Amino acid sequence: MATIRKTARTTPPAAERPHPDATRRSQRSRQAIYDAALALVGEVGYPKTTIEGIAARAGVGKQTIYRWWSSKAEVLLEAFLDLGEQAVHAQGQEAPYAIPDTGDIAADLKAVLRATVDQLYDPKFEAPSRALAAEGLVNEQLGREFVAKLLEPSLQLHVDRLRAAQAAGQVRPEIDPRIALELFVSPLAQRWLQHTAPVSYAYTDTLVDYALHGLAPRR
């Protein structure tokens, strides 16, 4: 009668097996959700984007999304913030961004507004930007977060550049930079959001000229 030889166990006990990296898996899921939310808003628009649709597109259960966010608006806001961070890293920027100071305030403001126009019409940014801006009007909490996390940091860059121009004697010292920046930033935002007229480099250049030189006749 043949004997049955027991072979050595090659599979380690469960306690000894390496565990999946939960943090890495979680981050992959988050990134998939970000990508799905941004893609759906671009394809079908914000009103037709749903948590169920995002979950299906990302390949996760909708309970996973609700574990981290309470609404599609919150998902989109975080996804858009992540998109901005990716853009910064793609440009090789490690230090916090600042509006360049070439010593010519007009040229510097015109350059940054031209870059803003490019971003506003970049398909990756346009749809989620419009969706968040519109939803923020009816969702006060989202609106506050949108302003605090997206708009204010950008506006502060303009404040810093105008203050540097004041120190250089290029802008009157009594001017409030926070109000002054609205002379060229707010008209651009209104025209883009409401489609009141085309937005172009020539338009934003003119906004800067009007803001810096005023409307009164020059003497």
Side-chain angles (χ1 to χ4, degrees), residues 104-151:
D104 184 336
I105 182 63
D108 293 344
L109 291 177
K110 288 177 181 180
V112 76
L113 286 186
R114 286 184 174 206
T116 301
V117 170
D118 291 340
Q119 188 178 67
L120 290 175
Y121 285 105
D122 183 332
K124 292 184 299 183
F125 288 88
E126 184 174 9
S129 293
R130 290 187 184 280
L132 287 167
E135 183 66 13
L137 294 177
V138 295
N139 182 333
E140 182 178 354
Q141 178 60 34
L142 178 71
R144 290 181 182 278
E145 289 190 46
F146 180 75
V147 169
K149 295 179 179 179
L150 289 171
L151 294 186

Side-chain angles (χ1 to χ4, degrees), residues 17-132:
R17 295 175 200 160
H19 294 286
D21 188 333
T23 301
R24 183 176 298 176
R25 185 173 65 246
S26 175
Q27 185 54 43
R28 284 200 301 267
S29 295
R30 279 181 176 270
Q31 193 61 58
I33 292 167
Y34 292 159
D35 294 343
L38 293 169
L40 284 173
V41 167
E43 292 170 11
V44 304
Y46 181 77
K48 293 183 179 180
T49 297
T50 63
I51 291 291
E52 290 78 8
I54 295 172
R57 183 73 168 255
V60 302
K62 67 178 182 179
Q63 69 274 10
T64 298
I65 295 179
Y66 281 120
R67 186 166 66 245
W68 292 326
W69 302 281
S70 62
S71 68
K72 67 177 182 180
E74 291 182 4
V75 177
L76 184 59
L77 177 59
E78 195 166 310
F80 192 72
L81 288 169
D82 180 73
L83 182 64
E85 291 177 3
Q86 289 185 42
V88 169
H89 293 316
Q91 295 170 6
Q93 297 174 3
E94 296 298 333
Y97 176 76
I99 295 176
D101 186 348
T102 66
D104 184 336
I105 182 63
D108 293 344
L109 291 177
K110 288 177 181 180
V112 76
L113 286 186
R114 286 184 174 206
T116 301
V117 170
D118 291 340
Q119 188 178 67
L120 290 175
Y121 285 105
D122 183 332
K124 292 184 299 183
F125 288 88
E126 184 174 9
S129 293
R130 290 187 184 280
L132 287 167

